Amino acid sequence: MAGPGFGNRIANGAPKAPRTRLQQVVYWGSVLAVWGVIFLVVFFAVFARGLPDTSSLYNVDRQPSITYLDRNGALIATRGTQQAPPADLDALPDYVPAAFIAIEDRRFWWHPGFDPIGMSRAMVSNMRAGRIVQGGSTLTQQLAKNLFLTPDQNMRRKVQELMLAVWLEMKFSKKEILALYLNRVYFGAGAYGIEAASQRYFDKPAKNLTVGEAALLAGLLKAPSRYSPVSESERAATRATVVLNQMQEAGVITAAQREQAVLEPVRVSRTLATQHAQYFIDWLDKEIRGLVGEPTEDMVVETTLDLTIQTAAERAVNRILERDASKGVQQAALVALDGDGRVRAMIGGKSYADSQFNRAVDARRQAGSSWKPFVYLAAVEAGYTPQTPVVDEPITIGTWSPRNYSGNFGGPTTLGAALQNSTNTVAAYVADQIGRDAVSRAARRLGITSRIGLEPAMALGTTDVSPIEMATAYDAFANGGRRVEAYGISRIRTPSGRVIYNRSAREGIGAQAINNPALYYMNQMLRGVIAGGTGASAAIPGRDLAGKTGTTSDYKDAWFVGYTGGFVAAVWVGKDDASPMRGVTGGGAPAAIWKGFMTAALPRLNAPAIPNGPAMPEGWIAPDPVGDLMGNIEDPYATGEAADPNAGVFDDPTAPQPRLEVTPPSRRIDPPDQRPEPDAPPEKRSDPLFF
């Protein structure tokens, strides 16, 4: 029978000596180790299920890249994934890989794939902050994630990442892991790998990277879009400085090298810095898919853009936006076409980094008086001429009574002078006489595709249009009367040279849209706008120029569309929310942008004079020069020869003879006594006012 102390006896009844503390530690340590091994085996067996196939290590799954070239073969941009040949680690300067190790994984050369010290430090920091503020992943873990795993943040993925990191460390040397990492990591802007990133950001091979450039690329990895040197230059510079500090602390560079790197500016590639060209690329991106479908291979797109002219457009826009910011000029758009419809420059907004909305193509804003050439084109096609006498006086069409920007009425004038001075009453009256449907047909014939209403105020530009539409329509005045279609792609090919799409020389060029003498009359009148009218500020000495200003009610939109022989540019300025600017007219900021752009572009283009277009009808005799046409005409009331206010209006026997009846105003209009000062706030108006 067992008695007291039975548990302390052995088989022969002798007492068992108690375990020492060391023996207890060893015993329970062994027990825990056995159970720990069992737990780890089960744990990893569970999480190992669903691990990716590591045979895909060298496979690259990427979207095809599209490289865009300007008309001279210069690189504009590359969209999609850019995968350059792998960089040779031995060919890189020592400080390039060292920069990544210094900022991403200081103990890279010693850990087994994971860093317990770094993980513990990150865990403590995150617990103190109450959120994720620091990561503990090693460079090897990041490589495992990039190669094999999804970016999902959960326990299963983290365990799999750890397992794959250990596998990578067992299979490859540290140097091979570092080379894999540098050649596969994503640097933003579509660039995968250090070589592609160096070419994309700095236009140079990775072996030529400076200390500062290496630090900037290393700093990108934390968040490529957040630290982009293109859109976030200050933040990128701050991050690069942190990397330089870490490099110095790790002994990778000396204090003198750090100081030199800080003082030497890092210059981002001009093709990436030219962000306004990205609006053009966005526009082409949709067109490419319409031409060749969804890309399945790398492609090279040869475009119509001229980077030199594009840069001139960017400078002109930026200068005037900065100059007139105090007047509320917040956004601008510019489209320039040659005589065949090729887009040579496109500005879709102030900053592509801030807003990717392309105002040159997708925005629809009221045209204001830049619409009036369509009114006058329909008029001269109906038999009017620039010297046809008209009267600037109060009129009412239905219940609508237009008024002039000056607030006054000038009395007898000519059709040409009315366009030159952007007289609202005459434009509204003429459109009503010839029919607003005729105006609509003329606009459609030249290339306006937006909806055109037929209300009386349409004559003054209530139609919402885009800058590219206006440039397309005015191109017919610039090229001899031919209808064109704006386009930006000349050819699409593979990098090896196989042609996928090739635009024919005459594709998109339509039939004659304006015949003579209508084209001759319109060019004469639109020359007068710049020679001595509302667009006089856009004049460039020695150049044959024509165009039209446009300003809408309460200064919400301002336009200038102008041209020379075979080249046209449309400029719009305003605010995205369509709120008023402070006294900004078409002859102000838009004309200044247009003039600055054309002054720089025209010498490169060697543009000729505005062409005459098709032959004149047999027996047609040219009128007096435009200077005479825009002069004062005799007042029929002063001589007493015209008791009827409409007498003598049509002296041209070849012109139609409708009676020009003026309907008395149905309501009184009390305009301001004088033209408002340019910087004066716009007065509130109850009816549309365009000029």
Side-chain angles (χ1 to χ4, degrees), residues 441-656:
R441 288 193 299 271
R444 286 266 184 258
R445 194 169 71 244
L446 268 60
I448 298 298
T449 58
S450 295
R451 178 188 175 277
I452 302 174
L454 297 181
E455 66 280 356
M458 176 266 269
L460 306 188
T462 56
T463 300
D464 292 334
V465 291
S466 67
I468 197 168
E469 281 182 278
M470 295 299 282
T472 299
Y474 273 65
D475 211 353
F477 298 128
N479 67 18
R482 294 177 292 110
R483 161 75 181 264
V484 301
E485 176 186 332
Y487 71 96
I489 297 175
S490 298
R491 188 167 72 151
I492 302 175
R493 58 177 173 83
T494 64
S496 63
R498 180 172 59 84
V499 176
I500 303 172
Y501 165 80
N502 191 31
R503 187 181 182 93
S504 66
R506 305 302 298 172
E507 185 179 347
I509 300 177
Q512 193 71 25
I514 313 174
N515 288 300
N516 272 320
L519 178 62
Y520 173 84
Y521 290 148
M522 289 306 303
N523 282 334
Q524 291 293 77
M525 289 193 288
L526 291 171
R527 282 184 175 109
V529 172
I530 292 181
T534 58
S537 62
I540 302 173
R543 295 290 181 178
D544 184 17
L545 305 174
K548 186 68 186 76
T549 56
T551 313
T552 64
S553 181
D554 290 338
Y555 306 99
K556 294 177 181 177
D557 302 280
W559 294 78
F560 189 84
V561 189
Y563 58 94
T564 187
F567 192 72
V568 60
V571 178
W572 166 88
V573 303
K575 298 181 181 180
D576 284 340
D577 62 2
S579 59
M581 296 176 286
R582 297 185 62 243
V584 177
T585 67
I593 291 173
W594 188 90
K595 180 177 181 178
F597 166 63
M598 294 292 276
T599 299
L602 289 179
R604 179 177 177 83
L605 294 168
N606 194 25
I610 300 169
N612 293 326
M616 293 292 179
E618 186 177 352
W620 181 83
I621 300 175
D624 294 335
V626 65
D628 293 337
L629 298 181
M630 300 307 167
N632 294 326
I633 65 169
E634 183 178 0
D635 186 344
Y637 305 109
T639 63
E641 296 176 358
D644 182 1
N646 298 307
V649 171
F650 284 98
D651 293 332
D652 182 356
T654 65

